Amino acid sequence: MATPLPSDAKPSAPKRPVLRRWSTWLAAAVVIGYGVSVAMHWDDRGLLWVKERFLSQTEQRESIWLPAYEVDIDAKPLTGMEKDEASDLSYNPITKTLFAVMGKHPFLAELTLDGDVLRKLPLNGWSNPEGVAVLADGRIAIVDERDHSLVIVSVDKDTQALNIADFPSYDLGPSEDQNKAFEAIAWDPLRQRLLLGEERPPALFSWSTDGRSALTGEKQPLPSDELDLRNLSALGIDPRTGHMLVLSADSNMLLEINEQGEQVSFMSLQGGFNGLKKRIPRAEGVAMDDQGTLYIVSEPNLFYRFKKP
């Protein structure tokens, strides 16, 4: 015979459906995770990572092959540029130095390959210089994102300042997003062309030139379907293979693109990858020298160098 409940006892509450609750949370986490992975292009990076695993040693040697690089100068401050914004970087094969453009307070800085500052050249008349590319015979191309312009200057060992009115300027035309316009530029000596990149949505263009003469004709669009990046910060060229380097600060990613516009390899800019102690805060410039050494600058004034072991 069952024992009767005390008169003041309350019936016990039904047990919460723990399994159903956890299933709901798990499903929500999967949906959110998938959405984030698509937005961050982790799905595309995963496919490229798988593709990389099937490249032969010969194919790797014929490419830049970013997975093989290790940082050997990690987040070195550019002396005296703490309040500036490092916006791009380019290698000069004649002087064996680097030229960096600073956007917040416009000037051009010449650096050693170890990231030491040799000199700073004020850019008088520029609004927001964001891209720089060393051409031929001491000529340097500078892209101003705010003015949608490309100016080609001449620099030698005695240059102390640059005045925009002294040099030819080229109109880059309107962009889909006028506030996120042309930001990237690189010189491709193998194909005798300038490469130009819009920040958002990422898009590529080329402008034929021998690097010495005045620009003629118009810029031409290039296939940009492989630029599955949140933004395009900078462009570089490997002078040995002609492959393109595409840098994205928002995606924390560096891509290698071949002559067909296809992704070949990539490198994460997060801490723990390629020897980096911490994430590169905001990677804005990339360059590669004729030995295959890779250089990156980050806002506000950080310098990185990567080499293959």
Side-chain angles (χ1 to χ4, degrees), residues 176-192:
E176 184 173 332
D177 185 341
Q178 292 292 87
N179 295 320
K180 299 293 181 181
F182 287 93
E183 178 163 342
I185 187 170
W187 164 238
D188 184 354
L190 294 178
R191 296 173 182 82
Q192 296 285 283

Side-chain angles (χ1 to χ4, degrees), residues 16-61:
R16 298 181 65 186
V18 177
L19 181 60
R20 182 181 301 173
R21 187 172 73 251
W22 278 106
S23 297
T24 301
W25 280 109
L26 180 60
V30 169
V31 171
I32 294 171
Y34 177 76
V36 171
S37 70
V38 171
M40 297 293 289
H41 302 286
W42 292 340
D43 51 343
D44 300 303
R45 296 291 81 77
L47 291 174
L48 181 54
W49 184 85
V50 172
K51 178 183 175 182
E52 286 180 343
R53 308 282 75 77
F54 289 96
L55 287 183
S56 67
Q57 292 294 320
T58 299
E59 290 173 312
Q60 292 180 24
R61 286 193 296 269

Side-chain angles (χ1 to χ4, degrees), residues 5-261:
L5 291 171
S7 59
D8 60 346
K10 296 181 180 179
S12 59
K15 294 183 177 179
R16 298 181 65 186
V18 177
L19 181 60
R20 182 181 301 173
R21 187 172 73 251
W22 278 106
S23 297
T24 301
W25 280 109
L26 180 60
V30 169
V31 171
I32 294 171
Y34 177 76
V36 171
S37 70
V38 171
M40 297 293 289
H41 302 286
W42 292 340
D43 51 343
D44 300 303
R45 296 291 81 77
L47 291 174
L48 181 54
W49 184 85
V50 172
K51 178 183 175 182
E52 286 180 343
R53 308 282 75 77
F54 289 96
L55 287 183
S56 67
Q57 292 294 320
T58 299
E59 290 173 312
Q60 292 180 24
R61 286 193 296 269
E62 291 174 351
S63 70
I64 300 173
W65 196 242
L66 294 171
Y69 278 81
E70 291 287 325
V71 68
D72 79 326
I73 297 180
D74 193 345
K76 177 179 180 177
L78 296 173
T79 304
M81 300 185 189
E82 295 80 4
K83 298 181 180 180
D84 301 302
E85 293 179 354
S87 296
D88 200 10
L89 194 65
S90 188
Y91 172 69
N92 189 327
I94 303 302
T95 60
K96 306 295 183 185
T97 58
L98 297 162
F99 280 90
V101 69
M102 313 301 277
K104 188 174 182 180
H105 305 103
F107 64 87
L108 192 66
E110 187 172 9
L111 313 174
T112 70
L113 301 185
D114 295 322
D116 297 319
V117 180
L118 295 173
R119 58 174 171 165
K120 298 194 291 187
L121 309 176
L123 294 175
N124 301 317
W126 276 264
S127 298
N128 185 31
E130 288 287 337
V132 62
V134 174
L135 309 182
D137 300 337
R139 291 156 59 85
I140 296 178
I142 301 173
V143 167
D144 193 302
E145 184 179 27
R146 186 173 301 153
D147 293 341
H148 300 262
S149 66
L150 166 64
V151 180
I152 299 180
V153 304
S154 296
V155 175
D156 60 28
K157 61 181 179 62
D158 298 319
T159 303
Q160 297 181 358
L162 296 163
N163 300 304
I164 197 169
D166 296 337
F167 304 102
S169 178
Y170 303 87
D171 184 6
L172 293 176
S175 300
E176 184 173 332
D177 185 341
Q178 292 292 87
N179 295 320
K180 299 293 181 181
F182 287 93
E183 178 163 342
I185 187 170
W187 164 238
D188 184 354
L190 294 178
R191 296 173 182 82
Q192 296 285 283
R193 62 180 181 174
L194 278 174
L195 295 169
L196 295 159
E198 286 185 299
E199 181 181 3
R200 190 180 293 120
L204 294 172
F205 298 82
S206 68
W207 203 325
S208 296
T209 174
D210 62 4
R212 295 177 172 84
S213 308
L215 296 179
T216 58
E218 300 289 338
K219 68 181 188 300
Q220 300 298 321
L222 292 175
S224 303
D225 295 342
E226 296 287 322
L227 299 181
D228 46 0
L229 299 165
R230 295 175 64 192
N231 81 318
L232 193 162
S233 301
L235 294 172
I237 287 288
D238 177 7
R240 306 161 305 161
T241 64
H243 285 193
M244 189 188 316
L245 292 162
V246 183
L247 184 68
S248 173
D250 289 352
S251 295
N252 297 299
M253 191 73 60
L254 179 64
L255 287 181
E256 175 187 0
I257 304 291
N258 65 16
E259 55 274 19
Q260 286 79 40

